């Protein structure tokens, strides 16, 4: 059996052996095995398609395949057969990240072939760009012309070992692709290529460069326009933390500015971290037929202890909620796609609830829920919520007026989620600067068994993290050092 059939067959035979204890209800995940980056996120023939970095055979990273799901509404996903397996000389050690584009009714995937002939000796690694095409959006054929961008197409200053994650897009009649690269000085850069047919590519230049000031290798670039602003998204490895920002080993970052493709220039005026939580990496966006830019990311971070792997549950990793992104007051805002509201059930609401010290409310609890609330903070200095709580677990979040920050604390979340990050003081804690509006704090919180996503002040900031509480940890408690009023509180279960 060939590698693709083998993977498809293995999934069929083994998917029922996955331990469902921590499985999410409404986040995209694979049926079995390991996933990382979202790939090929696109709108094709009236449906959303999402591919992802995939190793079906273990709950750890291995030679990469492309898993595949599709959806009519970005929330309820249908599992499809594995789309790509590492079965050619030009992708022998893995089909690494990439993107998708529709042309004349066919779906094209552009991805990185990873070749590592002598594992343990990275000098011999090569990364090159390939195309696979499909008529039905399910079965893909790698084209005879592969690789379409090879080692010979690299400028001299780019390392042949680190050249990956093409994001292809169209402007007028031309195709462009941005590709993550590493300069010979070790720092990250984004290379730009152009083509008329997706097969013959010419190198245009370096669109953006770190010059060793902003992390190392820049992975997973994405470039698009919102209104008149150019947005460049990428995932720099080993970006040094800057106060509360970039505290994870690798980061998801956006740049706003003005991009000129013909001059290969990106004049940047804003740089920021996309998400202030623990687990958000390698985001990718699509533009749908309604003109929405929707972003999804891997809801995990590299090199962390993963309870579903340690406990041999047979799966690891999920995607974030898809978020519509907008630019508001010169910043990127994120709001979960509207469609998630269709899956809200059993609403419980409260109005004008006074909290002093702490308070639980009848019916406000659960592990697969959405909470929406507006708090009038009055004169409180520290106020917030504890959720996923029982005697030994609590995931805590609060606003601290003295610091002007929203603080997320998963140190009592249930399991060891340690990583290679070494800053002790930040181990279980992430902070993000937030301004109250008229002394008020607005939150939307999505809990899905092993994850918490927080959208603060209508999506001005987002914080996304995994947490692994025991299944009895369902309680929610509000707390404050002085009186606050929860003006509005809604809770829904989210059920697909
Ligand atoms: C990002 C990344 C990509 C690469 C893929 C391999 O998380 O390292 O750069 O293509 O994962 O799985």
């Amino acid at each position: 059996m060939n590698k693709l059939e083998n993977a498809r067959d293995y999934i069929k035979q083994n998917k029922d052996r996955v331990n469902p204890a921590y499985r999410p209800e409404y986040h995209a995940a694979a049926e079995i095995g390991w996933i990382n980056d979202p790939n090929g996120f696109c709108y094709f023939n009236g449906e959303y398609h999402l591919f992802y970095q995939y190793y079906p055979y273990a709950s750890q990273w291995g030679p990469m395949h492309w898993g595949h799901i599709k959806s009519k509404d970005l929330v309820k996903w249908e599992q499809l057969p594995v789309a790509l397996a590492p079965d050619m000389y030009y992708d022998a050690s893995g089909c690494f990240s990439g993107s998708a584009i529709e042309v004349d009714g066919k779906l094209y995937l552009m991805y990185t072939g990873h070749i590592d002939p002598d594992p343990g000796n990275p000098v011999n690694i090569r990364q090159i760009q390939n195309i696979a095409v499909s008529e039905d959006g399910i079965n893909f054929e790698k084209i005879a012309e592969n690789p379409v961008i090879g080692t010979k197409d690299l400028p001299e200053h780019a390392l042949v070992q680190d050249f990956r994650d093409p994001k292809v897009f169209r402007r007028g009649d031309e195709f462009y692709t941005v590709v993550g690269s590493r300069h010979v000085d070790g720092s990250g850069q984004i290379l730009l290529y152009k083509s008329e047919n997706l097969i013959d590519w010419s190198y245009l230049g370096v669109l953006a460069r770190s010059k060793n000031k902003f992390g190392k290798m820049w992975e997973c670039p994405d470039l698009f326009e919102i209104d008149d602003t150019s947005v460049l998204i990428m995932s720099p490895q080993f970006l040094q933390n800057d106060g509360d920002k970039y505290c994870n080993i690798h980061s998801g970052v956006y740049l706003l500015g003005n991009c000129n493709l013909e001059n290969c220039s990106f004049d940047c005026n804003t740089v920021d971290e996309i998400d202030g939580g623990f687990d958000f990496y390698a985001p990718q966006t699509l533009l749908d037929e309604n003109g929405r830019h929707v972003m999804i990311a891997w809801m995990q971070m590299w090199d962390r202890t993963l309870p579903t792997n340690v406990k041999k549950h047979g799966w690891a990793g999920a995607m974030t909620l898809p978020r519509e992104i907008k630019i508001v007051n010169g910043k990127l805002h994120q709001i979960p796609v509207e469609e998630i509201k269709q899956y809200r059930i059993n609403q419980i609401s409260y109005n004008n609830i006074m909290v002093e010290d702490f308070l639980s409310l009848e019916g406000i609890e659960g592990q697969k829920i959405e909470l929406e609330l507006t708090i009038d903070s009055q004169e409180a200095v520290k106020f917030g919520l504890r959720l996923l709580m029982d005697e030994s677990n609590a995931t805590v979040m609060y606003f601290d007026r003295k610091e002007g920050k929203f603080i997320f604390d998963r140190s009592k979340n249930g399991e060891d989620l340690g990583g290679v990050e070494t800053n002790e003081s930040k181990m279980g804690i992430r902070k993000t600067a937030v301004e109250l509006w008229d002394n008020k704090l607005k939150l939307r919180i999505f809990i899905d068994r092993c994850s918490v996503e927080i959208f603060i002040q209508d999506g001005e900031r987002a914080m996304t993290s995994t947490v692994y509480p025991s299944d009895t940890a369902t309680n929610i408690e509000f707390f404050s050092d002085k009186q606050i009023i929860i003006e509005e509180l809604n809770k829904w279960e989210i059920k697909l």
Side-chain angles (χ1 to χ4, degrees):
M1 220 186 305
N2 67 35
K3 280 193 178 170
L4 189 66
E5 279 172 39
N6 205 48
R8 291 175 172 184
D9 191 58
Y10 176 85
I11 296 163
K12 250 189 230 141
Q13 303 297 332
N14 291 282
K15 62 179 190 223
D16 296 331
R17 293 168 53 191
V18 161
N19 182 329
Y22 292 119
R23 296 283 289 174
E25 168 74 20
Y26 57 91
H27 283 76
E31 295 173 287
I32 183 172
W34 161 279
I35 74 171
N36 54 284
D37 315 357
N39 295 155
F41 190 33
C42 67
Y43 190 74
F44 175 68
N45 280 348
E47 291 176 307
Y48 297 94
H49 285 253
L50 177 66
F51 303 81
Y52 48 86
Q53 288 288 280
Y54 188 34
Y55 186 60
Y57 305 108
S59 48
Q60 277 171 303
W61 192 87
M64 284 287 111
H65 297 56
W66 275 36
H68 187 191
I69 51 183
K70 72 171 182 176
S71 172
K72 291 195 166 43
D73 61 14
L74 288 160
V75 181
K76 194 172 195 156
W77 295 94
E78 180 188 333
Q79 300 287 341
L80 294 174
V82 171
L84 301 176
D87 52 12
M88 302 298 279
Y89 74 89
Y90 51 75
D91 58 21
S93 313
C95 299
F96 274 18
S97 284
S99 51
I101 190 165
E102 189 252 68
V103 185
D104 297 334
K106 292 185 191 165
L107 189 59
Y108 290 79
L109 307 180
M110 187 172 199
Y111 71 97
T112 298
H114 177 67
I115 308 162
D116 185 3
D118 183 13
N121 187 8
V123 175
N124 292 325
I125 289 180
R126 294 291 177 272
Q127 295 188 330
I128 52 186
Q129 317 315 321
N130 304 307
I131 296 270
V133 58
S134 171
E135 309 243 351
D136 61 3
I138 293 176
N139 296 294
F140 289 84
E141 199 169 312
K142 296 175 184 174
I143 65 170
E145 292 86 346
N146 283 336
V148 292
I149 308 181
T151 298
K152 64 172 178 18
D153 302 309
L154 276 170
E156 261 178 24
H157 57 70
L159 291 176
V160 295
Q161 293 87 354
D162 287 291
F163 176 45
R164 57 182 178 270
D165 313 334
K167 172 77 196 245
V168 61
F169 56 96
R170 187 182 356 217
R171 289 286 155 80
D173 291 338
E174 327 259 25
F175 299 102
Y176 292 86
T177 189
V178 278
V179 192
S181 157
R182 194 155 173 183
H183 192 275
V184 287
D185 72 7
S187 69
Q189 56 185 2
I190 310 264
L191 306 184
L192 180 66
Y193 290 81
K194 181 177 174 177
S195 172
E196 279 169 10
N197 55 12
L198 292 174
I199 295 170
D200 306 299
W201 290 89
S202 43
Y203 172 64
L204 293 185
V206 178
L207 188 72
R209 239 196 102 177
S210 139
K211 298 195 179 140
N212 263 324
K213 294 206 183 82
F214 203 71
K216 295 292 171 187
M217 172 69 189
W218 286 359
E219 300 190 309
C220 302
D222 193 351
L223 178 67
F224 50 95
E225 305 280 320
I226 298 186
D227 307 325
D228 289 332
T229 305
S230 310
V231 186
L232 178 61
I233 280 178
M234 43 107 169
S235 296
Q237 290 184 309
F238 306 106
L239 181 53
Q240 286 298 317
N241 77 284
D242 172 10
D244 299 318
K245 284 185 195 174
Y246 318 127
C247 293
N248 301 316
I249 180 80
H250 313 308
S251 301
V253 167
Y254 72 88
L255 283 68
L256 303 182
N258 192 359
C259 176
N260 183 319
L261 291 174
E262 287 318 303
N263 303 339
C264 195
S265 66
F266 191 95
D267 294 328
C268 171
N269 52 41
T270 304
V271 182
D272 206 349
E273 187 166 34
I274 301 173
D275 186 290
F278 286 90
D279 296 291
F280 181 98
Y281 195 63
Q284 197 176 77
T285 68
L286 62 70
L287 178 63
D288 74 6
E289 62 170 3
N290 308 315
R292 287 191 301 184
H293 291 274
V294 180
M295 174 176 67
I296 196 163
W298 180 37
M299 192 159 56
Q300 187 58 52
M301 184 49 58
W302 286 108
D303 295 319
R304 294 264 177 77
T305 305
L306 256 153
T308 57
N309 177 43
V310 176
K311 297 181 183 207
K312 303 196 171 14
H313 284 194
W315 70 283
M319 298 297 163
T320 64
L321 279 182
R323 304 154 182 201
E324 183 172 357
I325 52 177
K326 292 189 172 157
I327 297 180
V328 184
N329 300 328
K331 292 271 181 189
L332 196 80
H333 283 210
Q334 309 171 49
I335 297 155
V337 291
E338 199 56 27
E339 289 91 328
I340 186 79
K341 294 183 179 169
Q342 296 164 13
Y343 296 98
R344 290 169 161 176
I345 57 164
N346 300 337
Q347 178 170 4
I348 297 189
S349 301
Y350 288 89
N351 285 311
N352 296 323
I353 300 289
M354 193 188 87
V355 181
E356 192 162 0
D357 212 3
F358 56 90
L359 178 78
S360 295
L361 292 165
E362 169 92 45
I364 305 294
E365 39 105 51
Q367 292 195 326
K368 296 176 178 175
I369 61 168
E370 177 189 348
L371 286 173
E372 183 184 56
L373 62 157
T374 305
I375 299 175
D376 181 344
S377 65
Q378 309 219 333
E379 281 163 24
V381 180
K382 272 191 191 177
F383 58 94
L385 296 83
R386 283 183 271 271
L387 36 91
L388 295 169
M389 197 174 84
D390 62 7
E391 305 79 59
S392 44
N393 300 263
T395 297
V396 186
M397 60 191 73
Y398 59 95
F399 182 76
D400 184 326
R401 190 189 301 269
K402 276 203 191 114
E403 292 198 55
K405 286 174 189 163
F406 190 82
I407 297 165
F408 178 82
D409 180 350
R410 71 170 185 186
S411 52
K412 291 203 200 68
N413 84 97
E415 293 290 331
D416 169 25
L417 305 178
V420 291
E421 292 87 351
T422 49
N423 190 335
E424 280 293 333
S425 67
K426 301 206 160 99
M427 240 20 160
I429 291 185
R430 291 288 179 268
K431 301 182 178 188
T432 191
V434 166
E435 276 178 30
L436 297 181
W437 291 347
D438 207 9
N439 216 17
K440 291 180 190 175
L441 181 69
K442 279 182 89 174
L443 299 174
R444 264 180 95 185
I445 304 166
F446 291 85
I447 309 172
D448 195 5
R449 188 60 189 90
C450 65
S451 67
V452 176
E453 282 163 286
I454 312 164
F455 298 88
I456 308 166
Q457 307 297 53
D458 288 338
E460 219 176 62
R461 296 301 298 167
M463 293 179 103
T464 300
S465 303
T466 56
V467 287
Y468 291 84
S470 56
D471 55 9
T472 53
T474 58
N475 294 336
I476 295 177
E477 183 176 275
F478 302 91
F479 63 90
S480 180
D481 56 357
K482 289 195 190 132
Q483 174 183 299
I484 55 168
I485 307 287
I486 304 175
E487 291 187 342
E488 266 188 68
L489 169 65
N490 293 303
K491 176 224 139 183
W492 297 269
E493 283 160 45
I494 305 277
K495 183 114 190 77
L496 301 197

